[in-house]
Amino acid sequence: MTDTKTRILVEIALTVALATVLNLIKLWRMPYGGDVSLEMLPILVLALRRGWRPGVSAGALYGVVALMLGPIVVHWAQFLLDYPLAYAALGVAGIFTELVRGARTDGRSRVGWTAAAVAAGAVLRFAAHFTSGLVFFGQYAPEGQPTWLYSLLYNGSYMLPAAILCAVAAAAILPPLDKAVPPR
Amino acid sequence: MRRGVGLGNYIAVDSPVHALDPAAKLGIVSAFTVGLFTAGTFPGLTLLAVTVIVGTLAASVPISAALRGVRTVSLILVLTILANALRWEPATVALVRVGPLAVDGEGLASGVFFAVRIVLLVVGTSLLTLTTSPVELAGGIERVFAPLRWLRVPVGDLAMTLTIALRFIPTTVEEADRIMTAQTARGARFDRGGPIARARAYAPVLVPLFFNLFRRADELATAMEARCYRGSDGRTQLRESRMRPADWASLLVAGILLIATGVAL
């Protein structure tokens, strides 16, 4: 039997590795730019098994790895908001862990709470990217331009389908995963 | 995936930039970013552009690799220039006029200024990852953030997590590739249909990937503890990386010059 701390540390690391690999698999390219992928899924699954702290840590580290493997930095605030903060925010989905676990394993409520958790994480991640867009366009576009609209269109166009796909996938994967490899 | 995954953009060549300590490179890139955001004139940007060009040449990396990130932000660059340069029925003197639209000279200059700043930032930051392997960079980050230990931030544990993650990315890629090949042999198609159809095609790939992730985590944690891993306190490293006098000199000279350029120009 291993120490839970070491096991969680390794789970965070392998979650980051899987998120990086899933980011390489682009399911769809949106017209305004941005790719739909399942990169959020491992972070959400970990957050829903282990709670928000490991979820936030995994998200922040995934942001750092994304930066290390191919950084696109156009502004110092965008650097913080689009990488460590956006993905760390995703891990906040873990505040729903007990609600998801406490719900009936075969009932609707478990699916509902999973969807609510994914929505919470995705909305927070979107908020970080949206703010980053506001900062970026606010810095580089002249006054009077609808910067919020650019940011909303760009970030919303890929975040919404990705979040829906992740909610469905998380609801499908979590019950058999918890049964096969219980989070000790 | 099967056509080969270009993971990260590190290019392993022998160059003075590659030889610099990762912590020194992190410091220089930070100073470059500060210089870039404090520079308010074209001469300032030109001097900073010269440092990027010199850095790229000294690093012996292909120019195309250094400019790869620029392609990604090309739409942002065009939008930045257009949003600043184009005016609708302007009151000011216009350079070019097409119907109610006009190109404003002052706006065009500021658009180009911002676009050049974005290009320099993208190329400058990518030079760090082009010349430093992810594992070396993780070691550098650990040393740069080591003082945060005093604030009880578990820097060592975070660095260990980062190192394991980087080590297991290739393993996970291979595993995903193997499962996808097996599913393709059974008739699965991953490149047809919309996002929902594609996501559904990936379901038989995702389930084993997640099961293996958590099983492997259990095995790896057991293996680490069997080798007496007890957290980051007192952990030593096989290859200790230290800042040499040349690294300190490069950091100080480049850092001061870059920030001074930004502040003065």
Side-chain angles (χ1 to χ4, degrees):
Chain A
M1 179 68 77
T2 54
D3 180 13
T4 311
K5 193 187 161 199
T6 309
R7 193 172 160 174
I8 291 176
L9 182 146
V10 178
E11 283 184 7
I12 291 172
L14 298 189
T15 295
V16 172
L18 183 56
T20 309
V21 174
L22 291 184
N23 183 38
L24 299 171
I25 303 171
K26 310 293 184 197
L27 298 177
W28 203 256
R29 176 148 285 183
M30 300 311 286
Y32 294 104
D35 298 308
V36 177
S37 77
L38 292 169
E39 59 172 340
M40 297 193 287
L41 188 59
I43 298 163
L44 291 165
V45 167
L46 179 78
L48 289 174
R49 279 168 60 89
R50 292 292 187 188
W52 67 272
R53 280 173 202 270
V56 168
S57 304
L61 281 172
Y62 173 63
V64 173
V65 169
L67 261 175
M68 289 163 79
L69 295 180
I72 301 293
V73 180
V74 292
H75 191 277
W76 66 267
Q78 170 263 339
F79 154 82
L80 285 175
L81 284 163
D82 276 349
Y83 288 99
L85 284 179
Y87 292 103
L90 194 59
V92 176
I95 56 173
F96 286 85
T97 302
E98 291 306 318
L99 290 167
V100 172
R101 201 174 288 158
R104 282 174 295 135
T105 49
D106 57 346
R108 266 192 199 164
S109 55
R110 177 156 180 150
V111 174
W113 283 121
T114 306
V118 172
V123 163
L124 287 172
R125 182 189 160 193
F126 170 78
H129 289 312
F130 178 72
T131 313
S132 158
L134 285 187
V135 169
F136 171 77
F137 288 116
Q139 169 95 13
Y140 293 115
E143 277 184 36
Q145 300 271 338
T147 51
W148 63 270
L149 188 63
Y150 299 155
S151 190
L152 185 76
L153 276 177
Y154 174 74
N155 292 305
S157 67
Y158 69 88
M159 275 294 300
L160 187 64
I164 293 170
L165 289 176
C166 284
V168 174
I173 283 175
L174 272 168
L177 186 62
D178 283 354
K179 204 176 276 181
V181 196
R184 288 197 297 267
Chain B
M1 291 270 287
R2 247 161 274 107
R3 275 178 239 113
V5 176
L7 202 63
N9 51 2
Y10 173 62
I11 298 172
V13 286
D14 195 13
S15 85
V17 183
H18 284 71
L20 268 180
D21 188 277
K25 281 190 260 189
L26 278 166
I28 292 171
V29 168
S30 305
F32 173 73
T33 310
V34 172
L36 209 49
F37 277 92
T38 44
T41 61
F42 274 107
L45 278 194
T46 309
L47 271 179
L48 290 166
V50 170
T51 62
V52 170
I53 293 166
V54 170
T56 310
L57 292 174
S60 307
V61 292
I63 303 289
S64 58
L67 291 174
R68 199 178 297 150
V70 177
R71 220 178 302 148
T72 313
V73 295
S74 52
L75 185 65
I76 288 177
L77 294 176
V78 172
L79 280 176
T80 303
I81 295 172
L82 289 181
N84 280 278
L86 287 182
R87 294 283 180 272
W88 192 261
E89 291 181 354
T92 53
V93 180
L95 287 177
V96 183
R97 209 180 278 270
V98 183
L101 269 179
V103 175
D104 174 55
E106 211 173 291
L108 181 65
S110 61
V112 171
F113 180 86
F114 290 139
V116 172
R117 182 197 272 177
I118 294 170
V119 169
L120 290 179
L121 197 54
V122 169
V123 177
T125 48
S126 68
L127 261 185
L128 174 69
T129 49
L130 281 167
T131 61
T132 320
S133 75
V135 175
E136 283 175 339
L137 201 51
I141 291 172
E142 181 180 4
R143 280 184 294 130
V144 168
F145 288 102
L148 292 179
R149 284 198 181 106
W150 296 101
L151 300 171
R152 292 174 176 264
V153 176
V155 179
D157 282 339
L158 289 172
M160 171 60 94
T161 314
L162 200 55
T163 311
I164 297 172
L166 293 169
R167 164 63 188 83
F168 274 88
I169 290 171
T171 310
T172 314
V173 168
E174 280 171 25
E175 191 173 22
D177 199 22
R178 212 171 42 241
I179 298 168
M180 283 170 72
T181 307
Q183 291 300 331
T184 308
R186 293 181 180 93
R189 294 297 304 260
F190 299 102
D191 53 357
R192 279 197 185 158
I196 295 172
R198 289 182 190 204
R200 194 179 284 172
Y202 276 103
V205 179
L206 288 175
V207 174
L209 278 177
F210 273 91
F211 276 57
N212 289 349
L213 183 159
F214 288 100
R215 284 196 183 120
R216 182 175 289 143
D218 199 22
E219 289 165 9
L220 188 56
T222 307
M224 283 166 70
E225 292 194 343
R227 287 160 181 78
C228 300
Y229 179 78
R230 295 284 181 274
S232 57
D233 291 339
R235 194 168 61 90
T236 55
Q237 290 180 327
L238 180 64
R239 288 186 192 86
E240 291 246 352
S241 182
R242 281 179 201 282
M243 290 274 283
R244 297 155 302 168
D247 297 313
W248 281 112
S250 308
L251 174 62
L252 286 174
V253 171
I256 290 169
L257 281 177
L258 288 166
I259 294 175
T261 303
V263 172
L265 298 168

